[in-house]
């Protein structure tokens, strides 16, 4: 696998997987806050 | 006051959004485009997720949440009485897709059973293909044209899906998605792990992620990236508007939309990382793999995947896992489409039980021609697939009429902990109007028919599967019916 493809893969996966994990973590944080209240 | 049913919690609505969005397009169309155009396509696909799909989904989610009605009712309450026909068009367009989509679900189930039977068959699929290289094409032609097993299967799927939804949103849709979505992700991970461990499997990843900068100057890749994002996320379908009508009054529009949109794209990436390595690992040569990817149509899923998997040890099992994943993805989207129909009927005052009976009746009547004839199926795919851009345009129009900034403040931001910048929303929505108009022009100019408007003898070419005349006739037919019935629809759906 070329280094260009590898960098592109890391960038795209980080953006999509990271974005999904980030927004999901915000939802989980909000939900746990609601439960505590 | 009548209690409106809601999802039991936030996860219910998030899973329903994911179920609605993740469908057959993620499992086949996306890998094909990603393999064909590589990293350049992926970057543009992410770009259009941010500028087209997410703003439209934010608008749809917030409209459904605010008005708590089906698409016709919710849309009209925002756009105003004279524009009820636009809500009618959006509904008919999505139902037009739903009727033939139920047939795709039947195909996926048929191929799942075909793959399972190959596991236990004494004669392997590979040896059968050596005896008769056209075996899979013949099987595909028999499955997709006037095959009674396919017809019975699609009727059974419609009845079972409708009966599942008869139990209500919480016990039906929510419970089904709790099983379907996690199972789908697990199945995709299994296929990806097996495919990536094949010899030459990594070559698929190279094709998927390597960026060829020359591709950016090709307009087709921009259009493909936009349409893939729009159709895959469900932006402009009215489905998320239906799902959000069952949300609580305090539901966070922004965060839920972002989780659904990014989750959909994650499923697409996983499908790409499963299918592309398998294509390259199985093909005799690199050129053969690329030629597989570049000749894509609906049939490819069903004629290529079994061939690819027939070449490896345990390929029949892998093929079964793939078609089970495809079936789950298709069912989860179909359930959202059926719910759109139920919600509109409920707005007319039908009980849920009576709505279900009507849904089953209409799906069987209008889905039958697509189950019986592949030409009819392709025509409907062409007409209503492109029609989604018109639906998106109508939603943009309704939001523009209200005012982009005001809309964001009063609809989207109201209960959202996470807020997107107003400038982002305004620029994207404004830009999307000329983009939608251009897309309609582009799709029609790209028509596959030799006679897009008039046939060889100079008559209006309405019968042709891929003609623009067929598109325009069906669109205008629905719009005229909507315009004539505009005030009647308004009274029935809004001002009861």
């Amino acid at each position: 696998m070329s280094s260009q493809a590898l960098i592109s893969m890391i960038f795209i996966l980080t953006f999509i997987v990271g974005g999904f994990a980030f927004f999901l973590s915000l939802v989980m944080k909000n939900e746990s806050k609601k439960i505590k209240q | 006051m009548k209690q409106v049913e809601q999802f039991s919690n936030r996860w219910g609505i998030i899973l329903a959004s994911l179920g609605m969005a993740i469908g057959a397009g993620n499992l086949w169309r996306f890998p094909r485009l990603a393999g064909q155009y590589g990293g350049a396509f992926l970057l543009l696909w992410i770009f259009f997720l941010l500028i087209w799909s997410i703003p439209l989904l934010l608008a749809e989610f917030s409209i459904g949440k605010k008005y708590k009605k089906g698409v016709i009712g919710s849309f009209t309450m925002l756009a105003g009485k004279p524009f009820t026909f636009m809500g009618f068009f959006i509904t008919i367009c999505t139902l037009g897709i739903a009727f033939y989509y139920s047939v795709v679900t039947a195909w996926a189930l048929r191929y799942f059973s075909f793959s399972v039977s190959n596991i236990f068959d004494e004669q392997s699929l590979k040896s059968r293909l050596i005896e008769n290289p056209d075996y899979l094409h013949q099987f595909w032609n028999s499955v997709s044209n006037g095959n009674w097993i396919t017809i019975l299967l699609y009727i059974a799927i419609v009845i079972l899906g409708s009966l599942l939804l008869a139990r209500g949103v919480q016990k039906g849709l929510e419970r089904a998605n709790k099983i379907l979505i996690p199972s789908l992700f697990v199945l995709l991970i299994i296929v990806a792990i097996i495919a990536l461990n094949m010899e030459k499997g990594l070559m698929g990843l190279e094709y998927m992620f390597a960026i060829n900068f020359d591709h950016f100057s090709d307009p087709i890749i921009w259009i493909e990236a936009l349409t893939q994002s729009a159709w895959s996320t469900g932006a402009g379908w009215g489905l998320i508007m239906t799902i959000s009508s069952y949300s609580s009054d305090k539901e966070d529009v922004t965060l839920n939309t972002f989780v659904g949109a990014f989750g959909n794209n994650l499923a697409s990436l996983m499908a790409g990382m499963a299918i592309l390595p398998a294509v390259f690992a199985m093909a005799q040569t690199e050129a053969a793999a690329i030629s597989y990817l570049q000749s894509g149509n609906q049939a490819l899923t069903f004629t290529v995947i079994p061939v690819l998997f027939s070449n490896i040890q345990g390929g029949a099992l892998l093929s079964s896992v793939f078609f089970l994943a495809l079936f789950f993805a298709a069912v989860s989207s179909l359930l959202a489409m059926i719910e759109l129909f139920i919600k509109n009927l409920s707005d007319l005052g039908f009980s849920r039980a009576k709505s279900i009976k009507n849904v089953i009746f209409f799906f069987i009547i209008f889905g039958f021609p697509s189950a019986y004839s592949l030409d009819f199926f392709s025509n409907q795919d062409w007409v209503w697939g492109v029609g989604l851009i018109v639906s998106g345009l109508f939603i943009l129009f309704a939001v523009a009429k209200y005012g982009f900034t005001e809309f964001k403040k009063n609809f989207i931001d109201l209960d959202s902990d996470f807020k997107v910048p107003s400038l982002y929303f305004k620029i994207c929505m404004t830009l999307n109007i000329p983009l939608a108009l251009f897309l309609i022009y582009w799709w029609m100019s790209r028509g596959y028919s030799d006679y897009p408007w008039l046939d060889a003898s100079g008559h209006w070419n309405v019968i042709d599967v891929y003609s623009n005349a067929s598109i325009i006739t069906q669109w205008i037919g629905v719009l005229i019916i909507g315009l004539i019935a505009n005030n009647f629809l308004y009274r029935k759906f809004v001002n009861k």
Side-chain angles (χ1 to χ4, degrees):
Chain A
M1 198 171 180
S2 68
S3 57
Q4 195 246 40
L6 190 65
I7 293 166
S8 159
M9 182 174 84
I10 292 168
F11 171 77
I12 290 164
L13 284 178
T14 306
F15 188 81
I16 295 296
V17 180
F20 180 66
F22 171 71
F23 293 117
L24 199 62
S25 71
L26 286 182
V27 171
M28 288 163 83
K29 207 170 125 187
N30 289 355
E31 287 304 292
S32 65
K33 221 187 264 176
K34 265 189 218 165
I35 292 168
K36 276 180 193 164
Q37 281 169 359
Chain B
M1 196 181 150
K2 193 184 163 190
Q3 180 68 38
V4 178
E5 198 189 4
Q6 290 183 356
F7 285 102
S8 62
N9 56 39
R10 194 170 182 178
W11 298 112
I13 197 162
I14 287 175
L15 282 174
S17 312
L18 284 169
M20 173 278 289
I22 301 170
N26 298 63
L27 268 72
W28 184 252
R29 193 169 185 270
F30 173 81
R32 179 172 65 74
L33 291 169
Q36 199 171 340
Y37 301 115
F41 166 80
L42 294 181
L43 292 177
L44 291 175
W45 168 72
I46 291 173
F47 173 70
F48 285 120
L49 170 77
L50 299 175
I51 75 149
W52 173 278
S53 303
I54 286 180
L56 260 176
L57 288 169
L58 284 170
E60 286 186 61
F61 196 116
S62 57
I63 295 168
K65 177 197 154 193
K66 174 134 183 156
Y67 296 118
K68 304 263 181 248
K69 284 179 176 284
V71 174
I72 300 177
S74 291
F75 179 88
T76 306
M77 286 177 84
L78 176 70
K81 184 181 173 182
F83 306 104
T84 312
F85 74 94
M86 291 184 177
F88 177 73
F89 182 90
I90 297 169
T91 303
I92 297 298
C93 185
T94 303
L95 285 179
I97 293 172
F99 293 140
Y100 72 77
Y101 199 83
S102 57
V103 180
V104 178
T105 315
W107 290 342
L109 188 56
R110 192 77 199 274
Y111 272 79
F112 168 64
S113 68
F114 171 75
S115 303
V116 170
S117 69
N118 282 333
I119 298 173
F120 302 104
D121 212 332
E122 280 181 14
Q123 188 187 16
S124 70
L125 181 61
K126 193 178 179 181
S127 66
R128 221 175 293 163
L129 285 167
I130 292 167
E131 277 174 25
N132 176 10
D134 275 342
Y135 174 70
L136 277 171
H137 281 101
Q138 286 164 1
F139 185 72
W140 163 249
N141 285 333
S142 88
V143 164
S144 58
N145 278 296
N147 185 291
W148 287 101
I149 298 175
T150 306
I151 290 167
L152 289 175
L153 272 181
Y154 108 82
I155 291 173
I157 288 165
V158 166
I159 292 173
L160 288 174
S162 303
L163 291 179
L164 188 75
L165 292 176
R167 294 155 60 91
V169 169
Q170 262 187 38
K171 288 182 182 163
L173 190 63
E174 191 174 327
R175 210 171 271 181
N177 280 319
K178 270 182 189 164
I179 299 167
L180 290 172
I181 301 305
S183 310
L184 175 64
F185 274 93
V186 169
L187 291 173
L188 284 178
I189 290 170
I190 292 172
V191 183
I193 290 171
I194 298 172
L196 284 169
N197 277 308
M198 291 171 178
E199 200 186 337
K200 290 195 286 179
L202 281 178
M203 202 182 279
L205 287 189
E206 169 82 33
Y207 266 84
M208 183 167 166
F209 289 105
I211 301 171
N212 178 351
F213 288 94
D214 291 342
H215 275 145
F216 288 115
S217 58
D218 182 357
I220 287 179
I221 182 178
W222 288 76
I223 305 283
E224 293 281 26
L226 170 53
T227 51
Q228 176 61 24
S229 178
W231 290 334
S232 175
T233 54
W237 290 59
L239 292 172
I240 198 72
M241 208 186 286
T242 306
I243 289 169
S244 63
S245 69
Y246 297 108
S247 68
S248 77
D249 293 334
K250 295 282 170 198
E251 200 62 65
D252 185 327
V253 172
T254 314
L255 219 40
N256 289 359
T257 302
F258 271 82
V259 171
F262 273 79
N264 171 70
N265 277 28
L266 176 60
S268 291
L269 280 181
M270 284 166 67
M273 291 174 77
I275 303 300
L276 289 175
V279 170
F280 279 89
M282 295 300 112
Q284 300 291 332
T285 61
E286 204 178 308
I290 296 165
S291 125
Y292 273 143
L293 295 167
Q294 292 186 342
S295 56
N297 61 37
Q298 196 59 259
L300 264 189
T301 318
F302 302 101
T303 51
V304 170
I305 290 289
V307 180
L308 293 175
F309 292 148
S310 70
N311 286 310
I312 54 161
Q313 193 77 26
L317 181 65
L318 192 58
S319 181
S320 308
V321 174
F322 173 81
F323 283 113
L324 187 62
L326 184 66
F327 175 67
F328 281 4
V331 167
S332 65
S333 299
L334 182 66
L335 289 178
M337 295 180 202
I338 295 175
E339 187 59 47
L340 177 139
F341 199 1
I342 293 172
K343 184 70 180 174
N344 276 304
L345 292 174
S346 304
D347 287 352
L348 283 176
F350 286 39
S351 67
R352 200 157 178 98
K354 202 174 173 190
S355 301
I356 295 294
K357 282 181 197 160
N358 277 282
V359 164
I360 293 172
F361 174 76
F362 282 104
F363 264 79
I364 290 175
I365 297 294
F366 290 106
F368 180 81
S370 294
Y372 192 76
S373 156
L374 190 58
D375 277 350
F376 191 88
F377 175 99
S378 304
N379 173 264
Q380 293 300 287
D381 188 21
W382 175 236
V383 172
W384 303 118
V386 186
L388 279 177
I389 308 170
V390 181
S391 294
L393 195 59
F394 286 162
I395 292 167
L396 288 167
F397 166 80
V399 179
K401 189 170 168 282
Y402 190 91
F404 293 132
T405 311
E406 282 299 293
F407 181 88
K408 183 175 173 289
K409 196 173 122 195
N410 298 334
F411 281 71
I412 298 173
D413 288 348
L414 220 50
D415 301 297
S416 295
D417 293 323
F418 178 80
K419 293 181 177 67
V420 293
S422 295
L423 192 63
Y424 157 76
F425 183 73
K426 195 176 172 182
I427 290 175
C428 292
M429 293 297 270
T430 310
L431 188 71
N432 284 343
I433 294 173
L435 206 55
L437 289 169
F438 171 72
L439 263 184
I440 293 167
Y441 163 77
W442 184 83
W443 269 101
M444 294 183 83
S445 64
R446 194 178 180 244
Y448 298 114
S449 174
D450 291 334
Y451 302 101
W453 299 104
L454 302 177
D455 63 19
S457 47
H459 297 114
W460 187 242
N461 194 18
V462 69
I463 303 297
D464 195 323
V465 171
Y466 295 114
S467 72
N468 293 340
S470 183
I471 291 186
I472 291 293
T473 307
Q474 293 182 63
W475 285 1
I476 290 182
V478 172
L479 285 171
I480 288 174
I481 293 169
L483 278 166
I484 291 170
N486 193 78
N487 292 351
F488 171 78
L489 290 168
Y490 181 78
R491 278 198 307 278
K492 288 286 178 187
F493 283 95
V494 182
N495 193 22
K496 280 190 288 188

